Amino acid sequence: MPLSDDSFGDDESTPGLGLAVLSEALYLANLLLAPGIAFGVLVWLWHKYKYSAPPLARQHLRQTTFVSLYGGILIVTLTAIFIIAGGLAWEWTWVMVILYFTCIHSMLVMFGMFGLSKAMAGQTWRYPLIGPAIELDQR
């Protein structure tokens, strides 16, 4: 059977596709596999390529970096509020922390998977609510 001529986004026909996919993969790695390490690499990539990357890669790098930052601020702030409000011994503190991880953290992971699929397709993506606005020249 002859090979198909279909392009599935695995080549660099779309400028910045590889960097866009890498940024989304690092976002997911930060949430699931290596928190902190993946975020450090993501911030390094953002600082290195924020002016020189093609529009697709720049948009995905910007989204993932800032949403990772906001997600980190969310987890630290809300967990601190829960602990200050109820203390470590109060069972409702742990119920709230577990509910946060079940609902909010899982939602961030789900949006990250959607962002990865958009990056692999060569499309822009804005994370709902906490994602920075997409610049008009990048659409």
Side-chain angles (χ1 to χ4, degrees), residues 66-128:
F66 286 102
V67 171
S68 291
L69 185 63
Y70 296 150
I73 290 170
L74 262 175
I75 189 170
V76 169
T77 304
L78 289 177
T79 303
I81 289 171
F82 297 151
I83 290 172
I84 289 170
L88 291 173
W90 194 40
E91 59 275 358
W92 285 103
T93 299
W94 298 108
V95 169
M96 295 304 292
V97 169
I98 291 169
L99 274 174
Y100 167 80
F101 274 101
T102 303
C103 298
I104 306 298
H105 189 77
S106 299
M107 182 183 63
L108 291 174
V109 170
M110 181 188 67
F111 286 148
M113 290 187 298
F114 192 73
L116 179 61
S117 69
K118 288 289 202 174
M120 291 171 74
Q123 300 173 356
T124 59
W125 160 248
R126 179 182 183 268
Y127 285 83

Side-chain angles (χ1 to χ4, degrees), residues 26 30 34-47:
L26 284 169
N30 182 45
I37 296 170
F39 179 68
V41 174
L42 192 59
V43 168
W44 176 76
L45 284 174
W46 169 246
H47 283 295

Side-chain angles (χ1 to χ4, degrees), residues 9 14-17 20-21 23-24 55-57 59-61 63 114-126 134 138-139:
T14 305
L17 184 67
V21 170
S23 66
E24 294 290 347
L56 177 70
Q59 189 268 333
H60 279 278
L61 267 173
Q63 291 292 316
F114 192 73
L116 179 61
S117 69
K118 288 289 202 174
M120 291 171 74
Q123 300 173 356
T124 59
W125 160 248
R126 179 182 183 268
I134 296 175
Q138 294 180 359
R139 285 184 183 203

